[in-house]
Amino acid sequence: MPANRFNAYTDLGIGIGLRVPHYRHILDKKPTCDWFEVISENYMCDGGRPLEVLDQILEQYKVVQHGVSMYFGSADRLNREHLKRLKNLVRRTKTPFLSDHLCWGSVDGTYSHDLLPMPYTFAAAKLTAQHVRDASDFLEVPICVENVSSYAEFHVSEMTEWEFLSEVVEQADCGMLLDVNNIYVSSRNHGFDPLDYLNGVPLDRVGQMHIAGHSKYEKYILDTHDHPVLDPVWKMYEHVIRRIGPVNTLLEWDAHIPSFDEVHNEALKANKFIARVMRDGVQEKHEALTA
Amino acid sequence: MKRLPPEPPTRRRRQTAAELKELQRITFSAIRRPLSRNNAMQRKWTDGRSTQQVVSQFIKPNDRLTSLERIELYNKQYWFRLLDCLYDDYPGLRAILGESKFRTLRIAYLNEHPSKSFTMRNLGSRLVEFIEKNPRLISPHTAMCQDMARFEWAQIVAFDGVALPPLVPDDLLGRDPATLTLGLQPYLTLMEMGYPLDEFVLAVKKKSLRAEASNAMEMEEHSSSRKRTVRLPRPKTIHLGVHRWNNSLYYKRLDVEAYRLLCALRDGQSVADACAAAIGESDDAAIDWPARIREWFKIWTELGWFCKPPR
């Protein structure tokens, strides 16, 4: 299950996001880390220090690209200049697959630089799926779409978020980057059961998972990526890997970033859940055999 | 996973692709509206109706937040993220103007020039043009701010602009200066400024790397409590090459003749014509110009500033 056609049959293990404050440590100390996820847009430049660092990282580590501004759900056409730059980067990194978000964020060529929630309609699902297919055809790598955390919902929606995600990935025949923190944040903001979400999406399409921390406010939760992962999110992570087995896992920590070791150790906590799931699986098989 | 049926019976008419576009337009227009003085969403819509009345037509409320409060989270996020980006990219301009005027400038600029690029790296690409058209926003330090805006954009270009294969001494050996033309690296910006802003910026700016793109939510703007601590420079004309070396950012002071020579080369003149134009206006006859020009070319070649001229 972990290696599938949606993640180019990769079994990468547990990684963290490559962030500027860790550059020096990584390049000097060369710490062990299964893989790094890089924000594509940070390296879609023409030259200079960002690409130099990226090339040095590529010499030592496995890297997967993660985008933040493809905006598959925007009613605008995909930005061809963006796609061309992204393809150049794909050639450079040799990323086995890449991911971006199930959202919109630009209108008539003006960018919000945010991950805005979709209206969950059939028209939006059809258009979004077409954009994912077009991008994947052009980039010649599999694409996993990531569910976003959200704070608003549209009256016009015709289905739940998980039905919409399912509709898009089935129509596009693509994978999912399942962000269990985002599901948790949205579940609290919109009042649904996160297990309904997890049980309502085609988990066989999960190519990667994201875990992260969030911040609680009086009336809502914000997806701040500035804390360790909270227990309810770990429980959701365990729920998924119990269903599908261990899968490429990535911890996001984007604000108030602590040391490399602290971030990496937080990510490696996933091993505890993987070990428990594997142990239970072995025990279940043993009990089945001896029954 | 079973897919949803393509046409399930529904009491409500389905959204069309055109309606999706219109929904995204009106939602984005709400998100882009400038915040009020107390950093909240404006309570009045552009036509005088209440914003709550407008956004409640397309955003659902929940048991804790009104439609307005929900879209306000995105409205704040939009402004804080873009304002912070310019805050980080223009520390020199901020130091000249002070926090309050710099904030006013950023808001006015973003209203007129919202981002047209997938990367926030390009957010300030039209700031020079904007402040030239709106000098009241930068008065009384108008000329200094114009220089600084050009200087700080040049730094962004130098940081990650394209580098072409540099010419090496062998590329130049035996070539006739009367016909030889040279290109300059696209990441190199030549500047004439009325103030020594290189020294000023070095005093106020510590960071060397651009901030990271991130999808994390920031619900606060940078603190506006910092006071100007560096004295503003007195007028003094300087010439600079803003460039990078070993992928680090540098500002290289240039003699005025060197600046003229490089500008002439950049503009397509031959090496011989560029040299003549550069030193022709010099009134210092005591200088050994051939030796000095040789030294300049040696340094500039070592810095990798020369490349093939654009066709």
Side-chain angles (χ1 to χ4, degrees), chain A:
Chain A
M1 181 70 77
N4 54 40
R5 67 188 174 97
F6 306 112
N7 59 24
Y9 300 97
T10 53
D11 186 4
L12 297 169
I14 297 164
I16 66 171
L18 182 66
R19 301 292 181 259
V20 173
H22 296 155
Y23 278 0
R24 192 74 274 143
H25 177 85
I26 296 166
L27 296 178
D28 288 351
K29 307 287 184 187
K30 300 182 174 52
T32 301
C33 185
D34 289 345
W35 62 289
F36 287 111
E37 185 183 77
V38 299
I39 303 294
S40 299
E41 287 78 1
N42 285 4
Y43 306 95
M44 287 160 63
C45 51
D46 293 314
R49 173 94 172 130
L51 292 179
E52 180 192 37
V53 170
L54 178 63
D55 288 343
Q56 290 173 352
I57 296 288
L58 288 168
E59 287 173 10
Q60 306 271 345
Y61 297 97
K62 292 174 188 166
V63 163
V64 174
Q65 288 178 220
H66 178 55
V68 294
S69 59
M70 183 71 81
Y71 297 145
F72 294 126
S74 279
D76 287 354
R77 287 183 183 174
L78 291 176
N79 181 331
R80 299 297 291 182
E81 173 63 19
H82 183 127
L83 280 172
K84 285 178 191 169
R85 283 181 175 267
L86 189 56
K87 189 161 187 175
N88 285 339
L89 189 64
V90 165
R91 288 176 175 143
R92 191 177 201 114
T93 65
K94 299 182 173 57
T95 186
F97 65 101
L98 63 77
S99 56
D100 207 314
H101 298 83
L102 184 59
C103 71
W104 64 284
S106 61
V107 175
D108 300 323
T110 299
Y111 283 74
S112 68
H113 300 286
D114 202 348
L115 309 173
L116 303 176
M118 295 296 298
Y120 305 129
T121 65
F122 288 92
K126 183 180 176 185
L127 180 95
T128 305
Q130 184 63 51
H131 284 164
V132 174
R133 271 201 309 272
D134 290 347
S136 188
D137 287 348
F138 182 82
L139 298 169
E140 299 179 292
V141 287
I143 289 177
C144 290
V145 293
E146 178 183 0
N147 57 292
V148 298
S149 49
S150 62
Y151 314 95
E153 302 164 285
F154 291 94
H155 285 300
V156 75
S157 287
E158 296 157 355
M159 60 188 100
T160 63
E161 182 186 339
W162 53 95
E163 287 169 339
F164 182 78
L165 172 59
S166 305
E167 188 71 8
V168 170
V169 296
E170 297 282 359
Q171 282 193 36
D173 193 20
C174 70
M176 290 189 294
L177 195 178
L178 198 64
D179 189 320
V180 280
N181 179 60
N182 287 351
I183 294 173
Y184 181 77
V185 168
S186 294
S187 75
R188 295 293 300 272
N189 288 336
H190 306 315
F192 62 78
D193 183 342
L195 288 183
D196 285 345
Y197 196 121
L198 295 180
N199 295 331
V201 294
L203 291 177
D204 57 323
R205 289 182 178 271
V206 174
Q208 182 190 328
M209 288 180 73
H210 268 173
I211 47 177
H214 57 256
S215 299
K216 293 177 184 172
Y217 291 79
E218 188 185 345
K219 293 182 177 178
Y220 52 86
I221 295 184
L222 281 181
D223 181 22
T224 46
H225 294 185
D226 61 351
H227 284 83
V229 182
L230 277 81
D231 285 345
V233 175
W234 281 125
K235 281 182 184 165
M236 293 169 64
Y237 176 76
E238 182 175 359
H239 179 90
V240 175
I241 60 172
R242 201 170 281 284
R243 290 271 304 275
I244 66 172
V247 66
N248 301 329
T249 298
L250 190 290
L251 171 73
E252 293 181 298
W253 201 316
D254 293 313
H256 312 300
I257 300 173
S259 69
F260 175 90
D261 287 337
E262 192 173 332
V263 174
H264 192 217
N265 287 337
E266 181 64 22
L268 293 178
K269 286 179 187 172
N271 279 326
K272 182 177 75 177
F273 299 94
I274 293 170
R276 188 155 67 197
V277 167
M278 300 302 279
R279 188 183 62 227
D280 290 352
V282 169
Q283 194 171 340
E284 281 168 16
K285 279 183 186 168
H286 177 73
E287 286 170 1
L289 286 171
T290 54

Side-chain angles (χ1 to χ4, degrees), chain A residues 69 71 74 76-77 79 104-114 116, chain B residues 21 24-25 28-29 32 78 82 110-118 123:
Chain A
S69 59
Y71 297 145
S74 279
D76 287 354
R77 287 183 183 174
N79 181 331
W104 64 284
S106 61
V107 175
D108 300 323
T110 299
Y111 283 74
S112 68
H113 300 286
D114 202 348
L116 303 176
Chain B
K21 178 113 185 171
Q24 292 186 347
R25 277 195 180 124
F28 194 30
S29 66
R32 273 192 54 204
Y78 172 82
L82 299 192
L110 290 169
N111 266 325
E112 192 159 322
H113 296 292
S115 176
K116 293 289 182 183
S117 168
F118 63 84
L123 196 60

